[in-house]
Amino acid sequence: MPPVIKPSDNQLNLADIDAVKVIGKGSGGIVQLVRHKWTGQFFALKVIQVNVLESVRRQIARELKINQCSQCPFLVVCYQCFYDNGAISIVLEYMDGGSLADLLKKVRTIPEPHLAAICKQVLQGLIYLHHEKHIIHRDLKPSNILINHRGEVKISDFGVSVILTKSSGQRDTFIGTYNYMSPERISGGNHGYISDIWSLGLVMLECATGQFPYPPADNFFELLQAVVEQPSPCPPPDRFSQEFCSFVSACLQKNPNDRQSAGALLKHPFLSMYDSQNVDLGAYLTNAGSPLATF
């Protein structure tokens, strides 16, 4: 059996992988579960159609590879990026539990102790992105937070939106999901790393309550009005701990100057209050959801 392929090897070739099945679809393209012919390794292959010149596609592929290279255990590993047959193909680490969005379809809500364990890992990923890579994610949402049966939680698609936007000139196609945008972003103002913290607050609130914190909007302007003009959403205090309510409030401050950084939030009491329970996140994720593929 050939040795396992590592991200630093640059050995992957699209001709050497077989498609197993489609495991995700988004506005930018599809994600397939693929298997390497020689090692038997599974990967996730994200294929993005970008309607720009071939030279620009090649530049996007190069930038994505550089951007996604990391040694952080809280970010999905990128193995290779290709420009192939008119599309950008990104070979990624396969997370067999899917995303938080997939999990929520099965369990509807996630209990606080497991949310705290999930949130710790997401925050450590954000700390690395913000302070080591100097990247704003810009599209943090349940479908971009991936999980596996070992209890690992990893951020995916970091920096993809800004590279595609910058390279292709398509201002509104890849700038992220409007629903999770911070007030300063959705109103077109300047924004920084702290805009990701607002998105994290909405994700945690959605995972806890089982529904997106804002009512359905018929169009972008209705959502903008709700986010900018209405009070920030908060968990029902009779259903959740004071610590969780405090954590969400710290994330969902409408003034970005009042929002806490990822590093500060990692010290929040909510994240340590269940430590004595020895929460087994791997067992929960394995039992609560069903892996997308088991062989």
Side-chain angles (χ1 to χ4, degrees), residues 28 42 51 62 75 78 91-92 95 144 150 157 169 177 181-182 185 202 215 218 222 237 243 246 251 267 283 290:
F42 290 103
N51 187 25
R62 282 195 297 271
L75 304 179
C78 177
V91 183
L92 300 162
M95 298 289 282
N144 280 338
R150 293 186 296 274
D157 278 4
T177 305
M181 282 187 184
S182 62
R185 281 200 67 200
L202 291 184
D218 290 332
E222 275 190 20
E243 289 83 356
S246 170
C251 294
K267 301 172 184 174
S290 55

Tab-separated table of all heavy atoms in Angstrom, residues 28 42 51 62 75 78 91-92 95 144 150 157 169 177 181-182 185 202 215 218 222 237 243 246 251 267 283 290:
chain	number	residue	atom	x	y	z
A	28	GLY	N	-21.772	28.486	-5.164
A	28	GLY	CA	-20.532	28.527	-5.933
A	28	GLY	C	-20.219	27.249	-6.680
A	28	GLY	O	-19.414	27.256	-7.606
A	42	PHE	N	-9.880	9.087	1.531
A	42	PHE	CA	-11.036	9.890	1.150
A	42	PHE	C	-10.696	11.372	1.252
A	42	PHE	O	-9.986	11.801	2.166
A	42	PHE	CB	-12.239	9.579	2.045
A	42	PHE	CG	-12.815	8.223	1.812
A	42	PHE	CD1	-12.565	7.181	2.703
A	42	PHE	CD2	-13.594	7.966	0.704
A	42	PHE	CE1	-13.087	5.918	2.487
A	42	PHE	CE2	-14.134	6.712	0.474
A	42	PHE	CZ	-13.874	5.687	1.367
A	51	ASN	N	-16.656	32.271	-13.968
A	51	ASN	CA	-16.746	32.711	-15.359
A	51	ASN	C	-15.774	33.875	-15.618
A	51	ASN	O	-16.170	35.027	-15.777
A	51	ASN	CB	-18.181	33.126	-15.682
A	51	ASN	CG	-18.370	33.427	-17.160
A	51	ASN	OD1	-17.625	32.920	-17.985
A	51	ASN	ND2	-19.341	34.265	-17.486
A	62	ARG	N	-3.936	29.376	-7.510
A	62	ARG	CA	-2.676	29.576	-6.778
A	62	ARG	C	-2.931	30.266	-5.445
A	62	ARG	O	-2.401	29.880	-4.405
A	62	ARG	CB	-1.703	30.402	-7.629
A	62	ARG	CG	-1.005	29.625	-8.717
A	62	ARG	CD	0.189	30.394	-9.256
A	62	ARG	NE	-0.202	31.654	-9.889
A	62	ARG	CZ	-0.524	31.778	-11.179
A	62	ARG	NH1	-0.497	30.715	-11.970
A	62	ARG	NH2	-0.860	32.950	-11.677
A	75	LEU	N	-8.758	24.175	11.423
A	75	LEU	CA	-9.115	24.575	10.065
A	75	LEU	C	-9.049	23.346	9.164
A	75	LEU	O	-8.152	22.512	9.302
A	75	LEU	CB	-8.153	25.643	9.524
A	75	LEU	CG	-7.983	26.928	10.341
A	75	LEU	CD1	-6.982	27.846	9.645
A	75	LEU	CD2	-9.309	27.649	10.532
A	78	CYS	N	-6.311	21.901	3.332
A	78	CYS	CA	-6.371	21.940	1.875
A	78	CYS	C	-5.161	21.175	1.334
A	78	CYS	O	-4.023	21.469	1.677
A	78	CYS	CB	-6.344	23.381	1.372
A	78	CYS	SG	-6.316	23.517	-0.430
A	91	VAL	N	-9.032	20.237	-3.399
A	91	VAL	CA	-9.048	18.952	-2.699
A	91	VAL	C	-8.851	19.215	-1.206
A	91	VAL	O	-7.823	19.740	-0.791
A	91	VAL	CB	-7.957	18.002	-3.222
A	91	VAL	CG1	-8.055	16.652	-2.510
A	91	VAL	CG2	-8.072	17.826	-4.735
A	92	LEU	N	-9.853	18.846	-0.417
A	92	LEU	CA	-9.872	19.164	1.004
A	92	LEU	C	-9.938	17.906	1.863
A	92	LEU	O	-10.352	16.835	1.404
A	92	LEU	CB	-11.105	20.032	1.331
A	92	LEU	CG	-11.210	21.377	0.610
A	92	LEU	CD1	-12.629	21.909	0.682
A	92	LEU	CD2	-10.233	22.378	1.206
A	95	MET	N	-14.360	15.568	6.178
A	95	MET	CA	-14.914	15.548	7.533
A	95	MET	C	-16.196	14.722	7.484
A	95	MET	O	-17.214	15.146	6.931
A	95	MET	CB	-15.186	16.971	7.995
A	95	MET	CG	-13.943	17.858	8.071
A	95	MET	SD	-12.831	17.402	9.424
A	95	MET	CE	-13.710	18.137	10.821
A	144	ASN	N	-20.325	26.035	6.948
A	144	ASN	CA	-18.878	26.172	6.811
A	144	ASN	C	-18.136	25.755	8.076
A	144	ASN	O	-16.930	26.001	8.198
A	144	ASN	CB	-18.501	27.613	6.447
A	144	ASN	CG	-18.706	27.902	4.964
A	144	ASN	OD1	-18.733	26.983	4.152
A	144	ASN	ND2	-18.862	29.160	4.618
A	150	ARG	N	-14.542	11.952	15.362
A	150	ARG	CA	-13.572	12.067	16.464
A	150	ARG	C	-13.858	13.262	17.369
A	150	ARG	O	-13.148	13.499	18.339
A	150	ARG	CB	-12.150	12.177	15.905
A	150	ARG	CG	-11.659	10.910	15.210
A	150	ARG	CD	-10.202	11.023	14.810
A	150	ARG	NE	-9.994	12.066	13.810
A	150	ARG	CZ	-10.123	11.868	12.503
A	150	ARG	NH1	-10.483	10.680	12.037
A	150	ARG	NH2	-9.908	12.848	11.661
A	157	ASP	N	-13.599	26.914	4.150
A	157	ASP	CA	-13.838	28.033	3.215
A	157	ASP	C	-13.329	29.375	3.727
A	157	ASP	O	-13.890	30.418	3.398
A	157	ASP	CB	-15.337	28.150	2.880
A	157	ASP	CG	-15.744	27.171	1.794
A	157	ASP	OD1	-14.889	26.371	1.371
A	157	ASP	OD2	-16.899	27.195	1.375
A	169	GLY	N	-13.947	39.946	-9.862
A	169	GLY	CA	-14.721	41.173	-10.017
A	169	GLY	C	-16.204	40.976	-9.814
A	169	GLY	O	-16.999	41.878	-10.080
A	177	THR	N	-22.732	34.851	2.868
A	177	THR	CA	-24.173	34.719	3.047
A	177	THR	C	-24.699	35.935	3.798
A	177	THR	O	-24.249	36.224	4.898
A	177	THR	CB	-24.479	33.438	3.844
A	177	THR	OG1	-23.867	32.343	3.177
A	177	THR	CG2	-25.970	33.204	3.951
A	181	MET	N	-24.236	38.171	8.146
A	181	MET	CA	-23.377	39.352	8.122
A	181	MET	C	-23.624	40.255	9.311
A	181	MET	O	-24.762	40.454	9.740
A	181	MET	CB	-23.608	40.147	6.842
A	181	MET	CG	-22.931	39.579	5.625
A	181	MET	SD	-23.116	40.737	4.251
A	181	MET	CE	-22.372	39.787	2.944
A	182	SER	N	-22.540	40.850	9.807
A	182	SER	CA	-22.624	41.809	10.909
A	182	SER	C	-23.281	43.096	10.427
A	182	SER	O	-23.315	43.371	9.224
A	182	SER	CB	-21.221	42.111	11.437
A	182	SER	OG	-20.442	42.711	10.413
A	185	ARG	N	-21.111	45.175	8.155
A	185	ARG	CA	-20.909	44.620	6.815
A	185	ARG	C	-22.160	44.777	5.966
A	185	ARG	O	-22.097	45.164	4.803
A	185	ARG	CB	-20.547	43.145	6.900
A	185	ARG	CG	-19.105	42.867	7.246
A	185	ARG	CD	-18.729	41.458	6.834
A	185	ARG	NE	-18.732	41.321	5.383
A	185	ARG	CZ	-18.823	40.164	4.744
A	185	ARG	NH1	-18.968	39.038	5.422
A	185	ARG	NH2	-18.802	40.118	3.436
A	202	LEU	N	-24.524	34.412	15.937
A	202	LEU	CA	-25.747	33.937	15.269
A	202	LEU	C	-25.732	32.427	15.102
A	202	LEU	O	-26.752	31.763	15.278
A	202	LEU	CB	-25.899	34.616	13.901
A	202	LEU	CG	-26.207	36.113	13.880
A	202	LEU	CD1	-26.411	36.590	12.443
A	202	LEU	CD2	-27.436	36.456	14.716
A	215	PRO	N	-36.398	36.566	11.716
A	215	PRO	CA	-37.504	36.005	10.933
A	215	PRO	C	-37.160	36.026	9.449
A	215	PRO	O	-36.330	36.838	9.012
A	215	PRO	CB	-38.682	36.942	11.250
A	215	PRO	CG	-38.062	38.209	11.741
A	215	PRO	CD	-36.779	37.818	12.407
A	218	ASP	N	-38.051	38.680	2.974
A	218	ASP	CA	-38.378	38.497	1.560
A	218	ASP	C	-37.255	38.987	0.651
A	218	ASP	O	-37.133	38.547	-0.487
A	218	ASP	CB	-39.677	39.232	1.208
A	218	ASP	CG	-40.889	38.569	1.844
A	218	ASP	OD1	-40.836	37.348	2.076
A	218	ASP	OD2	-41.873	39.281	2.128
A	222	GLU	N	-35.034	43.968	3.627
A	222	GLU	CA	-35.753	43.623	4.858
A	222	GLU	C	-34.787	43.095	5.917
A	222	GLU	O	-34.878	43.428	7.088
A	222	GLU	CB	-36.819	42.562	4.565
A	222	GLU	CG	-38.139	43.127	4.073
A	222	GLU	CD	-39.218	42.051	4.033
A	222	GLU	OE1	-39.064	41.018	4.720
A	222	GLU	OE2	-40.215	42.254	3.323
A	237	PRO	N	-34.012	33.577	28.196
A	237	PRO	CA	-33.297	33.331	29.458
A	237	PRO	C	-33.884	32.210	30.306
A	237	PRO	O	-33.192	31.656	31.158
A	237	PRO	CB	-33.386	34.680	30.182
A	237	PRO	CG	-34.518	35.402	29.539
A	237	PRO	CD	-34.586	34.926	28.129
A	243	GLU	N	-24.751	32.037	31.597
A	243	GLU	CA	-23.445	32.116	30.929
A	243	GLU	C	-23.594	32.072	29.412
A	243	GLU	O	-22.912	32.815	28.688
A	243	GLU	CB	-22.544	30.967	31.403
A	243	GLU	CG	-22.057	31.087	32.826
A	243	GLU	CD	-23.069	30.575	33.855
A	243	GLU	OE1	-24.189	30.184	33.454
A	243	GLU	OE2	-22.715	30.555	35.047
A	246	SER	N	-24.968	35.336	28.203
A	246	SER	CA	-23.912	36.346	28.268
A	246	SER	C	-22.946	36.193	27.091
A	246	SER	O	-22.495	37.185	26.503
A	246	SER	CB	-23.156	36.224	29.594
A	246	SER	OG	-21.994	37.019	29.589
A	251	CYS	N	-21.096	38.407	21.688
A	251	CYS	CA	-20.870	38.293	20.239
A	251	CYS	C	-21.751	39.251	19.446
A	251	CYS	O	-21.328	39.809	18.426
A	251	CYS	CB	-21.158	36.868	19.769
A	251	CYS	SG	-20.063	35.598	20.398
A	267	LYS	N	-11.978	32.913	26.877
A	267	LYS	CA	-11.901	32.908	28.342
A	267	LYS	C	-13.267	33.114	28.996
A	267	LYS	O	-13.370	33.225	30.214
A	267	LYS	CB	-10.951	34.017	28.804
A	267	LYS	CG	-9.532	33.871	28.251
A	267	LYS	CD	-8.687	35.092	28.571
A	267	LYS	CE	-7.311	34.986	27.931
A	267	LYS	NZ	-6.512	36.225	28.105
A	283	ALA	N	-18.494	11.135	20.702
A	283	ALA	CA	-19.617	10.204	20.859
A	283	ALA	C	-20.930	10.890	20.512
A	283	ALA	O	-21.805	10.294	19.864
A	283	ALA	CB	-19.655	9.683	22.295
A	290	SER	N	-25.564	10.952	11.545
A	290	SER	CA	-25.019	9.761	10.899
A	290	SER	C	-23.951	10.234	9.939
A	290	SER	O	-24.189	11.151	9.157
A	290	SER	CB	-26.107	8.994	10.163
A	290	SER	OG	-26.775	9.840	9.254
